[in-house]
């Protein structure tokens, strides 16, 4: 609907109380119909919008609108919690990045080592209802934080962050995974980067 979802560490937008998330129109004016009530209780690091207009938020919060949601939640288009999305115990550490696949499943990445009580080192895939997708198997995962995720047109997943290995293989701060979460050795980046990768984006030509 051309509205702008804004999220972060703020508690006000243009003098209106908004706990870490707000909606604005194209002119930047707060949309008061987007009712966040108490909102999130801590920082929201990333957002994504589903094709049906629902909003996925993730970060380091443990509740939203007084409903327990550990670091990830889905909101209805009016800002209320979507109770059909149930992450159970959620992530045990911060989520820094997320991306929605064309089939609706959600890639999350960050500093967590488990999701819903299942071991997942810093990257996992969720089903559309918020449960963990057990078909996505990243092995031992990343040895340090993942800060950014992007999905290629063929479904392969690019990740960047502070890690130096993925599933036991040296990959300095950037790597590519297959659609099942396995390390993709065909993506060769030499010695990689000498410090953290915070962001990545795919061009239309795939670069």
């Amino acid at each position: 609907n051309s509205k702008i979802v804004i999220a972060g560490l703020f508690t006000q937008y243009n003098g209106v109380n908004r706990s870490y998330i707000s909606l604005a129109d194209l002119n930047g004016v707060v949309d008061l119909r987007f009712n966040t009530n108490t909102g999130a209780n801590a920082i929201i690091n990333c957002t994504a919008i589903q094709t049906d207009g629902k909003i996925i938020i993730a970060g380091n919060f443990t509740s939203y609108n007084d409903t327990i949601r550990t670091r990830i939640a889905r909101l209805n288009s009016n800002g209320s919690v979507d109770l059909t999305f149930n992450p159970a115990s959620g992530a045990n550490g911060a989520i820094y990045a997320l991306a929605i696949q064309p089939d609706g499943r959600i890639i999350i990445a960050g500093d967590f080592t488990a999701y819903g009580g299942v071991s997942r080192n810093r990257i996992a895939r969720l089903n559309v209802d918020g449960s963990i997708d057990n078909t996505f198997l990243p092995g031992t995962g990343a040895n340090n934080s993942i800060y950014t995720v992007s999905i290629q047109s063929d479904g392969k997943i690019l990740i960047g962050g502070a890690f130096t290995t993925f599933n036991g293989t040296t990959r300095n701060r950037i790597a590519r995974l297959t659609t099942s979460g396995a390390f993709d050795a065909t993506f060769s980046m030499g010695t990689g980067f000498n410090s953290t990768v915070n962001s990545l984006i795919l061009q239309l030509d795939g670069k």
Side-chain angles (χ1 to χ4, degrees), residues 9-32:
L9 192 58
F10 56 86
T11 55
Q12 286 191 345
Y13 180 75
N14 199 23
V16 179
N17 290 336
R18 285 291 182 266
S19 294
Y20 308 105
I21 188 168
S22 183
L23 193 70
D25 65 23
L26 285 177
N27 295 319
V29 178
V30 178
D31 185 344
L32 297 176

Side-chain angles (χ1 to χ4, degrees), residues 103-180:
D103 63 5
R105 288 184 291 181
I106 304 154
I107 303 293
I108 60 169
D111 205 29
F112 55 87
T113 57
Y115 182 90
V118 179
S119 177
R120 286 291 184 275
N121 282 325
R122 303 176 176 90
I123 189 165
R125 184 165 65 196
L126 313 183
N127 297 309
V128 293
D129 63 358
S131 62
I132 194 162
D133 178 2
N134 288 310
T135 68
F136 187 83
L137 299 170
T140 57
N143 70 336
N144 207 334
S145 302
I146 299 173
Y147 292 124
T148 182
V149 173
S150 192
I151 301 172
Q152 296 184 170
S153 59
D154 61 1
K156 289 185 176 182
I157 301 154
L158 287 163
I159 58 172
F163 57 88
T164 55
T165 67
F166 191 91
N167 200 18
T169 301
T170 298
R171 277 298 181 268
N172 285 322
R173 303 170 181 94
I174 190 167
R176 187 169 66 191
L177 314 182
T178 68
T179 56
S180 64

Side-chain angles (χ1 to χ4, degrees), residues 1-7 10 13 18 21-25 28-36 49 55 76-79:
N1 60 6
S2 299
K3 297 292 179 73
I4 305 163
V5 177
I6 309 161
F10 56 86
Y13 180 75
R18 285 291 182 266
I21 188 168
S22 183
L23 193 70
D25 65 23
V29 178
V30 178
D31 185 344
L32 297 176
R33 293 170 296 181
F34 188 78
N35 186 3
T36 61
I49 300 174
I55 304 161
N76 297 307
S77 58
N78 65 1

Side-chain angles (χ1 to χ4, degrees), residues 58-130:
N60 209 22
F61 55 87
T62 55
S63 72
Y64 186 91
N65 281 358
D66 300 320
T67 301
I68 294 173
R69 285 293 182 270
T70 308
R71 301 184 174 90
I72 189 166
R74 185 166 65 197
L75 312 182
N76 297 307
S77 58
N78 65 1
S80 62
V81 177
D82 178 5
L83 298 177
T84 67
F85 184 87
N86 185 3
S89 60
N92 70 343
I95 298 173
Y96 295 126
L98 64 87
I100 301 174
Q101 295 185 168
D103 63 5
R105 288 184 291 181
I106 304 154
I107 303 293
I108 60 169
D111 205 29
F112 55 87
T113 57
Y115 182 90
V118 179
S119 177
R120 286 291 184 275
N121 282 325
R122 303 176 176 90
I123 189 165
R125 184 165 65 196
L126 313 183
N127 297 309
V128 293
D129 63 358

